[in-house]
Amino acid sequence: MRPPRRTLALGGLFAALLAAPAAADAAPARSSAVALDREALVAYVADADNEALHRVDLVSGSVSTTPLGCAPAEVLVLAEDRVAVSLRGCNEVRVLDVDAAGEGTVAARAVVPAEPWGLAVGPRGALLVTSAYGRALTALDAESLAQRFSLRLPREPRGITVTPDGRRAFVTHAAGDALSVVDLDGGDAGEAPVVRAVRALGGGYRNRVDAMVGANTLHPTSSLAYVAVLNEGGTRLFVPHLVVQNGESTTRVVAGGYGGVAIEEDTSVPTVAVLDVARERTLGVDGGALQKNFVNIASNAFMASAVAPAGSPARQARAAAVLGDALLVVSHGTGELVELDARSLDPALASRRVFRVGEGPSGVDVDPRTGIAVVWNQRSHDLSVVSLASGAVDTLPVADDPLREDLARGRRLFHAEGDRRISRDGRACASCHPEGRDDGIVWRLGDGPRQTMALAGRVERGPYGWHGMHAKLEDNIAETLTRLGGAGLPAEDLAALANYLREGLFVPRREAKDPGEEALVARGHDLYTSEKLGCNGCHGLEHGTSDRVVHDVGSRAKDESRAEFRTPPLAMLEGSAPYFHDGRYPTLEALLDDNLDRMGQTSHLTSEDRAALLAFLRTL
């Protein structure tokens, strides 16, 4: 059931807000693309396209806009008329004070590692921020924004949630199957916080469900964990993400099938990991005792099916919120807000209601007092106000779309879920290429293992594909859609999608280096461009770090039919692990250790020169 969207009627909205039933206090605040000041019934919106912060009065409908000068990611309400904003476009965090007219002035600002994203309030007045490309968690003083500490994290950190006692932070990652858990109370004064990787995601519970119904599918890996939210008691953590059949450990193989799975099966499905916060264990996976109020989906549903259940439509779950026993997840690729049963071991298998909202929803927040959910729709640039009591959805226009028409069209196609022209199972381009990057997954294809290619900053010119078979990007896209089982796109749509990949994808700015690191990078640059090493021959800096030619560098595996691979561009190299066409090297260090002078003469490097070369490669 999808209640219709309605154009906002201010009187009707005001009545709905006043008539909505009261609810308990919400879970601890964390950032999103939209954040509510619940007392004032005001929504703050981080509008990346317009590089602005909007203040929207939900009662009067008035919109006030503060230009930011670069693209924001998320916003966090700190106090009445005070917000923090992560600015992914210029590597800053800003605290803004908002006046009676709704305009913000900068009270404090700080430079942080590249592409700040999620924000949360930590212990002792700290403001915690994740940096997606910079792979960091930084703690700032909430008043002055002076740095307290910065920690290295695995790649693509996104959402951050702090436990109510302030002792731990859970960080999600858009790539991989682990959460980063940060012990914020380091113990003795001055002791650095500790980061632990907890492999809590993936298809463990989903595989149990499929086995019980006789589907016999396996989902060995996962991706797209953008957000984690706590229940109102702080005892359960919900992490929407995708679980993926990549062909690994699969018994039914179709040659050339994407991921090596049967043509009628979904390669990736949405799931929600439910973690016991105290034990840091995923419910339903380890066979432990379950609380009686949790619904065991596998034992009482789908028992006569023999087909894996589809789950919720929220495959690109960019944001989520909890209200009572409802887990509300925005479905970025379908333009929906999905209400799931938070009592389930996998809420994705317990969808209750689906609300049609705007285009490209990327943020959600809830108000327990009025019983509303507010959704920011990134591509239609409006707010959807959802009454969870009546099911009514009102629409409030906020801003215009500044994108060129073909780029806007290409972006819609890139994120569209359920478009059978693109893939047989309805998945979007963005499901494998989040933010135009890569999911870190190696697919077991008919021609050998292939890792997902990163696109951002790498597709300005061809040839394209691991074997350089397509001179035009449009031809490469068309061939990819064929391998995905899609019916294909008309020429006008292919051109729009190709233009978006070339011009519309976000490429992070590199953060400034300290003098010592700058000297190391400069030494690495000299080594890279030297004739003795020869790196610049194939990966010429003057040619976009690729000669666009296929080479045999001894990387062919025994079961592969081709030995020559196109020189890959090195843009955003540090953020695209694993390395090589088959993902055989998890780190740049591992690649360099095993190079054996196949790609540049590196075996003679001293430890100091090796460190310098790695430092330079990480700046590309």
Side-chain angles (χ1 to χ4, degrees):
M1 176 181 180
R2 291 181 173 88
R5 295 177 75 210
R6 306 181 300 178
T7 301
L8 181 72
L10 295 181
L13 173 62
F14 184 70
L17 294 179
L18 293 181
D25 289 339
R30 75 281 179 276
S31 67
S32 179
V34 60
L36 287 174
D37 178 339
R38 296 181 176 90
E39 291 300 317
L41 278 178
V42 163
Y44 290 95
V45 173
D47 183 349
D49 289 346
N50 287 288
E51 298 185 344
L53 176 73
H54 306 295
R55 181 188 184 275
V56 185
D57 189 311
L58 297 179
V59 178
S60 70
S62 64
V63 179
S64 302
T65 297
T66 300
L68 298 172
C70 59
E74 297 194 343
V75 58
L76 173 68
V77 175
L78 296 175
E80 184 179 3
D81 299 328
R82 172 166 277 213
V83 298
V85 184
S86 57
L87 291 150
R88 66 184 301 220
C90 53
N91 301 340
E92 286 188 8
V93 172
R94 295 180 196 166
V95 171
L96 285 81
D97 289 328
V98 183
D99 62 20
E103 297 179 359
T105 57
V106 177
R109 66 204 307 162
V111 175
V112 294
E115 199 183 13
W117 194 277
L119 297 163
V121 176
R124 296 176 291 280
L127 180 63
L128 304 175
V129 54
T130 62
S131 291
Y133 189 75
R135 300 173 59 177
L137 173 65
T138 305
L140 307 170
D141 181 88
E143 290 294 328
S144 66
L145 293 190
Q147 181 175 309
R148 294 185 177 180
F149 63 78
S150 187
L151 306 174
R152 184 74 169 170
L153 296 176
R155 61 172 296 201
E156 296 289 354
R158 300 289 170 155
I160 178 169
T161 300
V162 178
T163 55
D165 61 10
R167 299 182 64 182
R168 284 174 296 165
F170 290 89
V171 178
T172 65
H173 298 265
D177 61 359
L179 298 173
S180 291
V181 182
V182 184
D183 294 319
L184 297 172
D185 57 340
D188 297 333
E191 185 176 345
V194 177
V195 180
R196 294 176 283 108
V198 176
R199 296 190 63 183
L201 309 184
Y205 179 67
R206 183 64 191 239
N207 293 340
R208 289 179 61 187
V209 173
D210 289 357
M212 291 187 73
V213 302
N216 295 320
T217 55
L218 291 173
H219 307 87
T221 189
S222 62
S223 64
L224 298 193
Y226 274 88
V227 62
V229 292
L230 289 162
N231 67 350
E232 291 164 0
T235 59
R236 297 287 182 265
L237 185 76
F238 303 97
V239 188
H241 62 288
L242 285 183
V243 290
V244 181
Q245 299 179 60
N246 66 335
E248 183 179 340
S249 304
T250 238
T251 55
R252 289 177 283 180
V253 176
V254 176
Y258 215 84
V261 299
I263 200 70
E264 71 274 5
E265 293 176 4
D266 286 346
T267 304
S268 57
V269 293
T271 189
V272 178
V274 183
L275 274 74
D276 181 316
V277 171
R279 299 170 62 231
E280 297 178 4
R281 301 284 291 274
T282 308
L283 294 178
V285 174
D286 60 6
L290 304 174
Q291 286 191 347
K292 63 182 180 180
N293 63 327
F294 273 75
V295 181
N296 188 340
I297 291 295
S299 67
N300 60 16
F302 314 113
M303 289 307 296
S305 174
V307 175
S312 88
R315 296 167 57 95
Q316 298 173 53
R318 294 294 188 89
V322 171
L323 191 59
D325 63 3
L327 174 63
L328 300 160
V329 179
V330 296
S331 179
H332 188 76
T334 62
E336 295 166 324
L337 176 69
V338 183
E339 181 186 313
L340 307 174
D341 189 343
R343 300 167 301 166
S344 172
L345 291 175
D346 182 353
L349 295 175
S351 180
R352 301 200 301 206
R353 290 186 291 179
V354 177
F355 304 94
R356 185 163 59 88
V357 292
E359 189 177 347
S362 59
V364 62
D365 202 357
V366 294
D367 178 30
R369 179 171 59 88
T370 58
I372 61 169
V374 179
V375 178
W376 168 243
N377 304 302
Q378 179 184 354
R379 296 198 300 277
S380 53
H381 301 89
D382 53 25
L383 278 179
S384 294
V385 182
V386 182
S387 170
L388 298 174
S390 69
V393 180
D394 288 297
T395 303
L396 175 61
V398 174
D400 295 327
D401 187 353
L403 266 67
R404 203 172 70 212
E405 183 178 352
D406 63 323
L407 296 184
R409 182 175 188 171
R411 182 166 69 170
R412 285 195 297 271
L413 289 165
F414 184 77
H415 292 94
E417 296 282 357
D419 190 334
R420 306 292 172 174
R421 301 175 304 167
I422 292 172
S423 64
R424 62 171 173 78
D425 60 3
R427 84 183 116 147
C429 307
S431 292
C432 296
H433 299 281
E435 309 298 313
R437 302 177 192 175
D438 69 277
D439 54 15
I441 293 175
V442 176
W443 300 83
R444 270 56 182 175
L445 301 176
D447 195 34
R450 297 288 184 271
Q451 71 153 310
T452 304
M453 279 186 167
L455 305 176
R458 296 188 177 191
V459 295
E460 72 280 1
R461 59 191 179 93
Y464 300 96
W466 282 114
H467 299 292
M469 296 180 64
H470 299 106
K472 295 178 59 180
L473 182 55
E474 289 84 346
D475 293 340
N476 181 257
I477 295 172
E479 192 266 343
T480 300
L481 302 188
T482 298
R483 287 191 293 112
L484 289 168
L489 294 171
E492 189 175 5
D493 282 346
L494 280 174
L497 182 52
N499 284 345
Y500 174 68
L501 297 184
R502 281 188 289 254
E503 302 178 47
L505 295 176
F506 177 80
V507 178
R509 292 185 189 178
R510 307 305 193 271
E511 61 264 33
K513 307 295 183 182
D514 61 49
E517 190 173 3
E518 284 185 352
L520 190 67
V521 169
R523 173 60 180 157
H525 172 273
D526 292 343
L527 290 166
Y528 182 94
T529 55
S530 67
E531 291 186 8
K532 186 174 184 180
L533 257 67
C535 303
N536 207 51
C538 294
H539 294 285
L541 299 178
E542 67 278 13
H543 300 299
T545 66
S546 173
D547 60 8
R548 311 286 169 166
V549 175
V550 295
H551 298 276
D552 182 358
V553 294
S555 60
R556 173 185 177 182
K558 62 180 180 180
D559 58 344
E560 292 181 319
S561 59
R562 297 173 183 167
E564 295 183 328
F565 294 87
R566 187 197 67 157
T567 305
L570 303 183
M572 298 178 63
L573 180 66
E574 185 181 20
S576 61
Y579 301 102
F580 264 41
H581 65 280
D582 54 5
R584 68 182 67 177
Y585 299 117
T587 64
L588 286 173
E589 286 84 352
L591 187 157
L592 198 57
D593 287 343
D594 195 43
N595 183 40
L596 304 177
D597 294 340
R598 292 176 301 172
M599 301 176 296
Q601 304 298 308
T602 59
S603 59
H604 69 282
L605 290 175
T606 65
S607 59
E608 292 80 7
D609 283 348
R610 182 177 180 276
L613 180 59
L614 287 168
F616 172 71
L617 291 174
R618 290 191 169 101
T619 68
L620 295 174

